[in-house]
Amino acid sequence: MKRLISLTVGILVVVLGLAIWSQQLQQSQGATGDKVLNLANWGDYIDPSLVKKFEKQSGYHVNLETFDSNEAMFTKIQQGGTSYDLTVPSEYMIEKMRKAHLLVPLDHSKLTGLNNYGARYMNQPFDPGNKYSIPYFWGTLGIVYNDKFIKPGEVKHWDDLWHTKYRDQIMLIDSARDILGFSLVSLGKSMNTTDAPTLQAAKGKLDQLAPNVKAIVADEIKMYMVENEAPLAVDWSGEASEMLAGNSHLHYVVPSEGSNLWFDSLVIPKTAKHYKAIYAFLNFMSQPKNAAQNAEYVGYATPNNKAKALLPKAVRNDRQFYPDAQTMSHLQTYEDLSPKTVGLYNDLFLEFKMYRK
């Protein structure tokens, strides 16, 4: 009898353990009932105190999962098995997700803060009429320079990077689309070109830049620039913001002849389940005070004009991260290119990296 009782207790312990494990697994995957919001976002891309504020005000618990690339996020949603209510893809990925039928249209009647956003950041080619997306942050591709080595005003245009005096002095972000992109702009071409000869010409011009390139790196580019390892770098404005915060000698320039204008936006993937929580969060993040707080924490440019007005004057008037209208008019947003064209960009960039060796 004791053995039977012991066995029964053992089975109950195992079952209870499995139940707890199952609950924890569901929580880690965002499936914790109706009073939750499952958010998939880039790492460190929202002020944690805002999340707590939203939870306290709304009563919804936020399950936050991070991803490190648009492609990784896309694959998880496409393959299923996730329960994301909201995610934050970049502009070209929004177009790709829309074409793949992975997005749920927004119900504009449930949105209370759309009029807070600047017209310049709405109705973009990747999502006409903002049928699927609300802008979250935006930025540019540009040049970071160190005034210990480079005089202010000395580097203002892409073509300046090709000057022979900058031999072995430039760091490039490891991104085929961006590096071929600024070469295309320097040739007066579109950053979205699909023309093979034009891309070959851009790659040929990059080969001429090769002697000036010190390294092609990823996230570590921030550390190198902060530690004065190179006078020049090509990187995104968000990364540049972090560099400038760590080294007062660094400055950021967006060439007036043109560059990339990127967007990260909030969208509802087809995996969404908690629609009351979704619209509560979208409206919460659209409130100027909350959007301004998030912008100060993340360091990226906000598309919420009413939030921008709440930022410190030095921030909202900083032309490094809020370029003037003339420069903005020459910026280009990336389009979702065909796999064949993306492959060509990647192949040419790889050839350029091998050429440097």
Side-chain angles (χ1 to χ4, degrees):
M1 188 68 174
K2 289 182 179 179
R3 291 183 62 188
L4 180 59
I5 293 174
S6 177
L7 179 61
T8 302
V9 171
I11 292 173
L12 288 173
V13 170
V14 171
V15 170
L16 180 61
L18 287 172
I20 294 173
W21 174 81
S22 177
Q23 184 180 27
Q24 290 176 338
L25 179 61
Q26 287 181 340
Q27 289 177 344
S28 70
Q29 295 176 339
T32 60
D34 294 331
K35 296 295 290 183
V36 300
L37 175 77
N38 300 318
L39 173 64
N41 200 355
W42 301 86
D44 201 27
Y45 211 36
I46 187 169
D47 186 342
S49 65
L50 272 179
V51 174
K52 292 180 181 178
K53 179 181 177 182
F54 171 75
E55 291 178 327
K56 184 177 181 180
Q57 287 186 358
S58 69
Y60 294 107
H61 172 70
V62 178
N63 294 313
L64 178 61
E65 183 173 323
T66 61
F67 55 86
D68 57 10
S69 75
N70 280 289
E71 288 68 27
M73 177 271 298
F74 176 88
T75 299
K76 290 191 72 172
I77 292 175
Q78 186 181 48
Q79 291 179 346
T82 65
S83 56
Y84 300 147
D85 294 311
L86 286 169
T87 188
V88 192
S90 302
E91 68 292 318
Y92 74 93
M93 184 53 68
I94 292 173
E95 187 175 0
K96 183 173 181 177
M97 293 177 77
R98 177 170 55 84
K99 291 177 181 177
H101 306 290
L102 296 181
L103 297 180
V104 177
L106 294 167
D107 184 346
H108 282 213
S109 70
K110 296 179 180 178
L111 297 170
T112 59
L114 286 182
N115 62 337
N116 294 336
Y117 295 90
R120 179 66 182 83
Y121 315 112
M122 303 290 281
N123 195 33
Q124 291 292 318
F126 59 85
D127 184 21
N130 290 91
K131 184 177 180 180
Y132 296 95
S133 68
I134 296 177
Y136 184 66
F137 283 118
W138 67 274
T140 54
L141 179 74
I143 301 167
V144 179
Y145 73 89
N146 190 319
D147 65 24
K148 294 178 70 174
F149 312 104
I150 307 292
K151 295 179 181 179
E154 188 175 305
V155 177
K156 297 188 296 183
H157 304 287
W158 293 119
D159 274 340
D160 293 333
L161 298 178
W162 273 264
H163 198 290
T164 55
K165 65 182 176 181
Y166 301 131
R167 186 178 182 88
D168 196 35
Q169 294 188 35
I170 304 171
M171 288 195 171
L172 302 179
I173 192 67
D174 192 0
S175 169
R177 195 76 185 267
D178 292 298
I179 304 308
L180 276 162
F182 80 72
S183 185
L184 286 164
V185 172
S186 75
L187 293 171
K189 305 297 183 180
S190 168
M191 299 180 90
N192 292 303
T193 188
T194 60
D195 181 65
T198 300
L199 284 167
Q200 288 284 357
K203 187 264 181 181
K205 187 168 183 179
L206 282 179
D207 288 342
Q208 298 171 26
L209 181 68
N212 290 2
V213 178
K214 183 180 184 70
I216 301 174
V217 290
D219 283 347
E220 59 269 32
I221 194 172
K222 290 182 288 188
M223 176 189 68
Y224 290 136
M225 293 303 293
V226 168
E227 295 181 356
N228 301 309
E229 293 292 330
L232 292 162
V234 174
D235 205 344
W236 306 296
S237 56
E239 304 290 280
S241 176
E242 293 185 43
M243 296 181 203
L244 271 59
N247 187 332
S248 62
H249 292 284
L250 298 179
H251 308 271
Y252 181 70
V253 176
V254 182
S256 58
E257 62 270 21
S259 188
N260 170 236
L261 172 65
W262 57 260
F263 289 91
D264 289 334
S265 301
L266 286 157
V267 301
I268 306 174
K270 70 171 187 176
T271 54
K273 296 179 181 179
H274 308 105
Y275 284 89
K276 288 185 179 179
I278 288 169
Y279 285 99
F281 185 79
L282 292 175
N283 292 331
F284 175 85
M285 293 305 297
S286 292
Q287 293 174 21
K289 184 177 180 180
N290 295 332
Q293 180 180 330
N294 204 33
E296 287 201 76
Y297 174 83
V298 176
Y300 282 42
T302 178
N304 189 315
N305 278 359
K306 292 186 179 180
K308 179 184 174 184
L310 299 177
L311 295 174
K313 186 176 181 180
V315 175
R316 66 176 185 265
N317 293 334
D318 190 344
R319 291 292 175 258
Q320 296 176 105
F321 301 103
Y322 291 94
D324 58 34
Q326 182 179 2
T327 300
M328 289 288 291
S329 68
H330 293 122
L331 299 179
Q332 304 176 43
T333 303
Y334 288 142
E335 298 171 2
D336 177 38
L337 303 178
S338 70
K340 180 180 179 181
T341 301
V342 171
L344 180 55
Y345 273 82
N346 291 336
D347 289 345
L348 291 173
F349 186 55
L350 179 59
E351 289 179 20
F352 163 62
K353 291 196 286 187
M354 293 177 65
Y355 178 88
R356 287 185 58 252
K357 299 177 181 180

